[in-house]
Amino acid sequence: MLDDLPEQFDLVVIGTGFTESCIAAAGSRVGKSVLHLDSNEYYGDVWSSFTMDALCARLDQEVETHSALRNARYTWHTTEKESETDAQSWNRDSVLAKSRRFSLDLCPRILYAAGELVQLLIKSNICRYAEFRAVDHVCMRHNGEIVSVPCSRSDVFNTKTLTIVEKRLLMKFLTACNDYGEDKCNEDSLEFRGRTFLEYLQAQRVTEKISSCVMQAIAMCGPSTSFEEGMQRTQRFLGSLGRYGNTPFLFPMYGCGELPQCFCRLCAVYGGIYCLKRAVDDIALDFNSNEFLLSSAGKTLRAKNVVSAPGYPPVSKGIELKPHISRGLFISSSPLGNEELNKGGGGVNLLRLLDDEGGREAFLMQLSHYTGACPDGLYIFHLTTPALSQDPASDLAVFTSQLFDQSDPQIIFSSYFTIAAQTSKSPAAEHIYYTDPPTYELDYDAAIANARDIFGKLFPEADFLPRAPDPEEIVVDGEDPSALNEHSLPEDLRAQLHDMQQATQEMDIQE
């Protein structure tokens, strides 16, 4: 392996997280030589998914100075062996026996059906590497209960949560939000400019229940959110409706750890080289050639550009990591909410939680076995909030009390951990491009924007992830290129097709 690995690369990417994988795939797709390294033995870093055994082992690991996963602990809430009279009972042994049936995310996300990531997956044709499931319910807490928020027109008229008058008010309000921005002189646009979205809601004289629906589950905003931002969030929600299901959200089958691997596959298809369990020991900049010299596994590699995930040595030596996201991951033998929310064994439910003052929020994702993330009969609860301290359990306590103290689900396993971010860049690595750590967001917008920005600085003339051809569109030596449908090809392959056709015509003339 050491002898076979080339010594010169256009781009070396350190870390196989989501953002780094996007950049590696984009570089490889436009013809750059890419080496993608990771000191871990798995893809994804803190964006990865784990089996049950692997998650416990990862949380048990002694914290390394560069690790973004901090403050980890977990607890089993059952004895190792319980009564066998109840055929449906779960315990530590029975859960671990099905370890490989789990796909547990460190950094779970939900995708807007018309969001940046879905559009990028379709545009680049990476979508063929992934499968998704439509989120079944978008929920909110009302009067101490978890209820489903009607999303589509049919949901609004079929729901038993709202009265007939409230249904009409909600439809009228959503229609007004959908039309917002078409007329720049709209009275609402002028009257509420500089005011809050909550003030706009109150002016529409909607009921408290409708206001909760919009603020908690549709616009997903707070009392201080501006009118303009609230409208944009509502339109984003409405713009993703009706594409793949009754809700505007998608969840990756088998966990979010599949997504970085999708981009890694594309990178490898176009010649990218992958080396897991391989760290960079030292790195320096050769000012004469303006290239980086990387020492790895006893070999010196040269790279024109280097991109690194936060926290990876040696580019992060002396950098302090601070808490960024507090996470809770729970496994239960019963779901949250009523039977209607979990009909047929459940699917994917999304719930946004608020503290009593409305100043803090958290997202809860409930996953059933239909997502491929856990065995039948078990449910996964992912809880995420911005970190306030080094104690993720304390950060999440106000939200876990809302979920578990009243409904009393049968929790089998609970874990807490922090995803950290570095406070500053290393002065010794000022020429290296650092990716941002996972941010507190529902979708992948910030990560994609970060990948686009870094790629644009690396290769300003190149297109970011142009469409990759399908297998049937690839011309193999000896085939007739005219058999292809020219209009279905990406632009770069269309140009190659023209060149091949022209060369064929010239050969015919010479003969």
Side-chain angles (χ1 to χ4, degrees), residues 421-484:
Q422 58 190 50
T423 57
S424 62
K425 294 182 180 179
S426 170
E430 56 181 321
H431 300 286
I432 296 173
Y433 289 97
Y434 276 96
T435 58
D436 294 334
T439 59
Y440 176 74
E441 63 173 342
L442 193 60
D443 203 339
Y444 289 80
D445 288 8
I448 294 173
N450 184 217
R452 285 184 187 275
D453 178 60
I454 293 176
F455 181 81
K457 293 175 181 177
L458 293 172
F459 312 111
E461 304 300 323
D463 187 15
F464 181 73
L465 285 170
R467 179 179 175 273
D470 291 318
E472 61 269 16
E473 296 172 345
I474 300 174
V475 179
V476 182
D477 289 343
E479 290 187 343
D480 179 10
S482 63
L484 293 172

Side-chain angles (χ1 to χ4, degrees), residues 185-458:
C185 297
N186 183 283
E187 292 182 5
D188 289 341
S189 302
L190 299 175
E191 181 182 353
F192 291 94
R193 185 174 299 166
R195 299 170 67 180
T196 66
F197 187 62
L198 181 58
E199 289 178 299
Y200 174 70
L201 265 174
Q202 293 170 343
Q204 305 308 305
R205 299 180 180 178
V206 298
T207 64
E208 181 186 352
K209 189 179 292 184
I210 292 179
S211 179
S212 297
C213 280
V214 175
M215 295 289 288
Q216 286 190 42
I218 297 178
M220 298 187 185
C221 59
S224 61
T225 302
S226 69
F227 164 70
E228 292 82 3
E229 183 182 352
M231 279 295 197
Q232 290 174 359
R233 291 188 176 196
T234 303
Q235 287 186 326
R236 184 186 187 191
F237 184 97
L238 297 174
S240 291
L241 279 173
R243 291 176 178 260
Y244 304 106
N246 283 341
T247 70
F249 300 111
L250 298 173
F251 183 79
M253 290 292 293
Y254 313 109
C256 296
E258 291 294 304
L259 294 178
Q261 295 188 60
C262 291
F263 288 89
C264 290
R265 290 187 190 106
L266 182 73
C267 178
V269 165
Y270 282 89
I273 298 176
Y274 279 81
C275 295
L276 298 181
K277 299 175 67 175
R278 180 162 182 159
V280 175
D281 304 315
D282 194 17
I283 186 169
L285 180 64
D286 184 347
F287 289 96
N288 294 325
S289 62
N290 204 31
E291 291 182 335
F292 290 95
L293 302 177
L294 297 91
S295 175
S296 176
K299 186 167 184 174
T300 299
L301 309 170
R302 303 184 72 91
K304 296 178 182 177
N305 302 283
V306 173
V307 173
S308 175
Y312 273 72
V315 292
S316 60
K317 286 181 179 178
I319 297 298
E320 181 184 356
L321 296 178
K322 65 175 182 178
H324 191 57
I325 296 173
S326 290
R327 286 273 293 112
L329 193 161
F330 311 89
I331 298 175
S332 170
S333 59
S334 64
L336 292 167
N338 55 35
E339 185 177 347
E340 183 181 351
L341 287 176
N342 301 284
K343 194 178 300 181
V348 182
N349 292 347
L350 173 66
L351 172 65
R352 179 172 175 261
L353 296 165
L354 300 172
D355 66 356
D356 293 336
E357 291 76 28
R360 295 184 58 213
E361 69 171 25
F363 282 110
L364 172 83
M365 299 176 198
Q366 175 182 292
L367 310 179
S368 77
H369 71 283
Y370 288 113
T371 63
C374 62
D376 188 5
L378 293 178
Y379 299 85
I380 299 171
F381 306 143
H382 287 295
L383 194 58
T384 308
T385 193
L388 297 178
S389 68
Q390 297 280 358
D391 185 356
S394 175
D395 292 348
L396 290 166
V398 65
F399 306 113
T400 54
S401 63
Q402 296 179 34
L403 294 170
F404 305 142
D405 288 359
Q406 297 178 12
S407 57
D408 192 29
Q410 299 175 19
I411 299 296
I412 301 169
F413 173 88
S414 65
S415 62
Y416 295 94
F417 51 89
T418 299
I419 295 177
Q422 58 190 50
T423 57
S424 62
K425 294 182 180 179
S426 170
E430 56 181 321
H431 300 286
I432 296 173
Y433 289 97
Y434 276 96
T435 58
D436 294 334
T439 59
Y440 176 74
E441 63 173 342
L442 193 60
D443 203 339
Y444 289 80
D445 288 8
I448 294 173
N450 184 217
R452 285 184 187 275
D453 178 60
I454 293 176
F455 181 81
K457 293 175 181 177
L458 293 172

